[in-house]
Amino acid sequence: MDNVTKEARVKLFDKRYQILSILGRGSQSVVYKAIDVGKKNKEVALKVLVRKKDKKLTEQLRKEALILVSCKHKNIIQLYDFHALNELCYLSLEYAPYGDLNQYLHKVKKLTAEQAVLFLIQTAEALQAMHDAGIYHRDVKPDNILVANPSLIKLGDLGVASLPGEEFLLEELRKGVGTLSYMPPEVLVGKGFTQRSDLYALGVTFWEVLAGTHPFEGVPLLKQLSVREDKNLVPLSKKNPEVPQYLSDAILKLMRFKPQDRFSSAEELIKFLKKKGASKQSKTVSKEEVNKEEKKKS
């Protein structure tokens, strides 16, 4: 995490925010950790455009603000304020103290199976809220899943999300919309995004998180499509034996080559995970009860 100068800490940004540090930096924007002195020193994340007077980028940030307002959910990062006046354009967003999923994993080393299921369900619930509003995220990956606390995640960075009726253009892919290594086959060939495209990226994300490596790591650009074929997919349980079989099966289904072979919706995935998880918990409890009874008899 980059530090900012002492002078910047003292001087208020837009007469309201005290900048504490830099959380992230891209070609178009910088994200700062800051304190909103007008809101009882509330911690926030400020996403500030770097290129001033760029109308296209300003409209893109305005669109992100609109999307955040359109799909409020406990597992989607909250928008506090959008400012676009003169040369200053920024979003004031909810701050996630534990950073993104990659940063969190760097600290804790690995997720427990229970925590992985919880985070997967919460991310799916965020996606379902977006899909219900006719919005596709289009860039689901560990960097965009933020950890508020060890039992709560927030889906963030909706900068390339699409509004209802907005068509995907192959030109967008060439310009870098989304992240290649998480894109489903249908998007790579220019067929466009659907809710099942977001689910594919969700599967790749949690395969990576639980395996400790990306499933398509080191694959050349020309083989990015063929490596996604079902015959080349490695079940997660083979990479990490600690992963429950039902979770491995769910993630593999999310990553199927054909969209129709995946879960039909995030809601269907959630129901599957909750049903299988409850069944597993029930079996565990029953086993413990049997052991207790055997001890009593002895």
Side-chain angles (χ1 to χ4, degrees):
M1 185 184 295
D2 295 334
N3 292 323
V4 295
T5 64
K6 189 179 290 184
E7 291 78 7
R9 287 177 184 272
V10 175
K11 187 178 179 181
L12 293 182
F13 175 82
D14 199 20
K15 300 179 181 180
R16 178 176 172 181
Y17 300 99
Q18 181 184 348
I19 304 295
L20 299 179
S21 61
I22 297 175
L23 297 173
R25 190 193 300 270
S27 60
Q28 300 175 352
S29 62
V30 178
V31 181
Y32 298 98
K33 178 184 177 182
I35 289 175
D36 186 346
V37 297
K39 296 288 184 181
K40 298 181 180 179
N41 291 337
K42 186 181 185 70
E43 287 185 325
V44 299
L46 292 180
K47 184 175 182 178
V48 184
L49 287 187
V50 175
R51 284 186 266 170
K52 299 175 181 179
K53 295 184 178 180
D54 189 319
K55 291 184 179 180
K56 190 173 182 180
L57 289 181
T58 299
E59 284 308 308
Q60 188 175 321
L61 204 66
R62 190 188 305 276
K63 175 185 165 185
E64 184 173 355
L66 176 62
I67 289 172
L68 285 166
V69 170
S70 301
C71 47
K72 291 182 179 180
H73 188 271
K74 60 184 174 65
N75 294 119
I76 296 176
I77 214 75
Q78 186 179 349
L79 173 70
Y80 296 138
D81 192 20
F82 168 66
H83 181 101
L85 186 64
N86 299 324
E87 294 186 355
L88 198 58
C89 187
Y90 66 87
L91 298 177
S92 176
L93 302 161
E94 181 179 3
Y95 171 65
Y98 288 80
D100 63 45
L101 202 46
N102 276 330
Q103 292 169 330
Y104 181 69
L105 281 169
H106 184 71
K107 295 172 186 173
V108 301
K109 305 308 177 189
K110 67 177 183 178
L111 300 181
T112 63
E114 293 77 13
Q115 197 176 25
V117 171
L118 177 64
F119 283 0
L120 180 54
I121 288 174
Q122 290 179 351
T123 312
E125 287 177 340
L127 286 174
Q128 188 61 53
M130 293 184 69
H131 296 163
D132 286 344
I135 296 167
Y136 304 135
H137 189 283
R138 304 202 301 177
D139 199 18
V140 178
K141 59 183 179 181
D143 292 354
N144 293 336
I145 297 174
L146 306 173
V147 184
N149 64 56
S151 60
L152 179 64
I153 62 89
K154 305 270 184 172
L155 186 59
D157 201 346
L158 278 62
V160 299
S162 62
L163 289 166
E166 192 174 9
E167 292 185 3
F168 166 79
L169 300 174
L170 194 56
E171 185 63 27
E172 289 183 306
L173 177 58
R174 297 192 185 102
K175 289 180 179 178
V177 171
T179 306
L180 178 67
S181 54
Y182 298 90
M183 286 182 178
E186 66 272 16
V187 173
L188 290 178
V189 297
K191 289 185 178 179
F193 280 84
T194 67
Q195 61 182 14
R196 296 190 191 199
S197 304
D198 273 342
L199 294 181
Y200 182 91
L202 181 64
V204 176
T205 292
F206 277 85
W207 197 101
E208 177 184 10
V209 164
L210 290 165
T213 182
H214 194 283
F216 313 133
E217 188 174 17
V219 176
L221 184 61
L222 292 176
K223 292 185 177 180
Q224 281 291 328
L225 189 61
S226 62
V227 76
R228 286 162 165 74
E229 293 176 4
D230 291 348
K231 64 181 180 181
N232 295 323
L233 295 180
V234 178
L236 185 56
S237 54
K238 288 189 176 181
K239 295 288 290 186
N240 182 353
E242 294 180 13
V243 173
Q245 190 59 49
Y246 79 92
L247 178 56
S248 177
D249 292 343
I251 290 173
L252 199 65
K253 186 171 182 177
L254 287 169
M255 294 172 63
R256 290 298 182 193
F257 192 87
K258 295 179 180 179
Q260 61 267 31
D261 292 337
R262 301 170 203 153
F263 288 99
S264 62
S265 65
E267 185 177 8
E268 185 187 6
L269 167 65
I270 293 163
K271 287 179 179 178
F272 174 86
L273 291 172
K274 287 184 175 180
K275 181 180 178 180
K276 293 293 184 179
S279 174
K280 186 174 183 294
Q281 183 67 27
S282 176
K283 288 177 182 177
T284 302
V285 171
S286 298
K287 195 172 182 180
E288 289 176 352
E289 289 175 349
V290 169
N291 290 336
K292 285 180 182 178
E293 288 299 319
E294 288 179 349
K295 284 182 180 179
K296 286 180 182 178
K297 290 177 182 178
S298 60

